[in-house]
Amino acid sequence: MANILTVTLNPALDLSVEIADLTLGEVNRTGNTRLEPAGKGINVARVLARLGHSVTVTGLLGEANVTAFERLFAAEGLQDSFVRVPGQNRINVKVAEPGGRVTDLNGPGFRMPADALQRLEFRLASLLPDCDAVVIGGSLPEGFPPSGLAELVQQANRAGKPVWLDASGEGLKAGVEAGPFAVKPNTDELSGWAGVPLKDMAAVETAIARIRARGVPHVVVSMGAGGVLWSSPTDTLRSWVPPVSVVSTVCAGDTLLAGMLHGVLACQPDDAVLTFATALSAECVQHIGVGNPQAPDFSSLLQQTRVQPWPGENNTGEMPL
């Protein structure tokens, strides 16, 4: 198995709740409720650790409410190498309704200290030699410039480590220009990067081609119920997700990225990589939290997941969402 480094710049404590029907202005009774540390890089790390990899987590972590994060890292077998900064990490509320609709209430977090980027780059310098791949994911904390994210990508590039980037907004724009090995936007994030609505598969393909033209070899676009489109130097593949009962889509993209990286590092065939990652993401949406490769129904989901070359004879250009 591989040694993987994940970078989370803006961690959060996520309060996830299931509710039958959200009624504004009224008292609502919740079902399953869970409070746990999160952030894209942390979520990806948890899945990778469950898949047997050795994972080190780093980034910036607020000191005021750090205990829950430290407990999670110990419980999940993650090596904690976060740079501690003054202030508290965000507290987010995610309300999941039947059918997969999620309402996010995202709170403010710490403001980045002036020396934080320098401290983080120094930490990365000691961690990069021993890792096989780097994942940089999530939003940027207040005061963290998008150019700083680009600097982290370039630092890993100089060390010869492939960077998998999952960001949005200005962070995604700056990160793409820095030349990561792979990017994994969803359709909303890809639309924001492209600056135009993505109304059909042709528009998605055009946006992917623009990113590839900037020197990014791999673009993985998650399209919800429309599956996943993966464009690489060798081919373009599309997966179709098996039918599942959707509870929460919150960690689906992070689980997908972890599944992709797992297969790529193992040098599996492309169709096998995408099948596994898509099926694991489908398992994830059936409950709150990250995907579980040991789930009882995972083998069935694998068998039901379809992957085909894109475009192909039986493929259509329908709206992906």
Side-chain angles (χ1 to χ4, degrees):
M1 290 297 183
N3 295 317
I4 302 169
L5 176 65
T6 73
V7 182
T8 308
L9 301 172
N10 198 18
L13 284 171
D14 279 357
L15 176 62
S16 300
V17 299
E18 295 179 27
I19 191 168
D21 185 28
L22 178 62
T23 304
L24 299 180
E26 301 289 340
V27 174
N28 293 268
R29 302 295 180 185
T30 67
N32 184 29
T33 302
R34 181 182 300 179
L35 176 66
E36 60 183 3
K40 284 186 178 295
I42 294 172
N43 296 340
V44 171
R46 294 177 65 189
V47 179
L48 288 169
R50 294 177 184 185
L51 290 168
H53 298 280
S54 175
V55 188
T56 298
V57 290
T58 190
L60 305 179
L61 193 61
E63 294 174 328
N65 52 355
V66 72
T67 303
F69 291 88
E70 294 172 341
R71 288 175 178 168
L72 177 78
F73 300 154
E76 297 278 0
L78 306 176
Q79 180 64 42
D80 176 12
S81 193
F82 268 93
V83 174
R84 269 56 172 179
V85 297
Q88 75 169 14
N89 304 288
R90 301 174 296 154
I91 299 177
N92 301 332
V93 180
K94 300 181 180 297
V95 183
E97 299 175 78
R101 187 175 78 164
V102 177
T103 300
D104 289 327
L105 303 173
N106 290 346
F110 56 79
R111 179 175 178 82
M112 187 188 85
D115 65 343
L117 179 57
Q118 182 180 14
R119 291 173 61 198
L120 180 55
E121 289 176 332
F122 183 79
R123 182 67 54 87
L124 286 180
S126 66
L127 297 173
L128 286 170
D130 297 323
C131 76
D132 298 304
V134 181
V135 175
I136 301 177
S139 61
L140 304 179
E142 183 180 356
F144 196 104
S147 60
L149 187 149
E151 290 178 25
L152 299 180
V153 174
Q154 292 166 346
Q155 183 180 6
N157 287 345
R158 290 192 297 271
K161 309 300 180 179
V163 177
W164 290 65
L165 176 66
D166 188 356
S168 60
E170 295 303 314
L172 177 59
K173 292 178 182 179
V176 165
E177 297 304 319
F181 176 80
V183 295
K184 195 227 67 65
N186 60 33
T187 46
D188 287 340
E189 292 163 346
L190 184 60
S191 176
W193 178 87
V196 296
L198 304 180
K199 297 181 178 180
D200 52 31
M201 288 300 296
V204 173
E205 290 178 275
T206 298
I208 288 175
R210 289 174 55 193
I211 291 180
R212 292 281 313 280
R214 283 164 167 76
V216 180
H218 296 266
V219 181
V220 181
V221 181
S222 54
M223 304 182 295
V228 180
L229 194 64
W230 175 20
S231 176
S232 74
T234 55
D235 52 23
T236 298
L237 298 175
R238 183 177 178 182
S239 65
W240 279 262
V241 297
V244 293
S245 178
V246 179
V247 171
S248 174
T249 59
V250 171
C251 294
D254 306 330
T255 297
L256 173 71
L257 192 158
M260 294 288 299
L261 181 53
H262 170 73
V264 168
L265 288 175
C267 298
Q268 297 175 357
D270 287 356
D271 58 346
V273 172
L274 188 55
T275 298
F276 180 89
T278 300
L280 190 57
S281 181
E283 192 286 324
C284 173
V285 303
Q286 298 179 108
H287 55 81
I288 292 175
V290 300
N292 178 16
Q294 282 77 47
D297 64 341
F298 182 56
S299 61
S300 175
L301 293 173
L302 273 172
Q303 295 172 2
Q304 296 176 65
T305 301
R306 294 188 297 122
V307 171
Q308 294 179 347
W310 181 267
E313 293 182 1
N314 299 321
N315 293 328
T316 64
E318 80 278 7
M319 182 69 180
L321 299 179

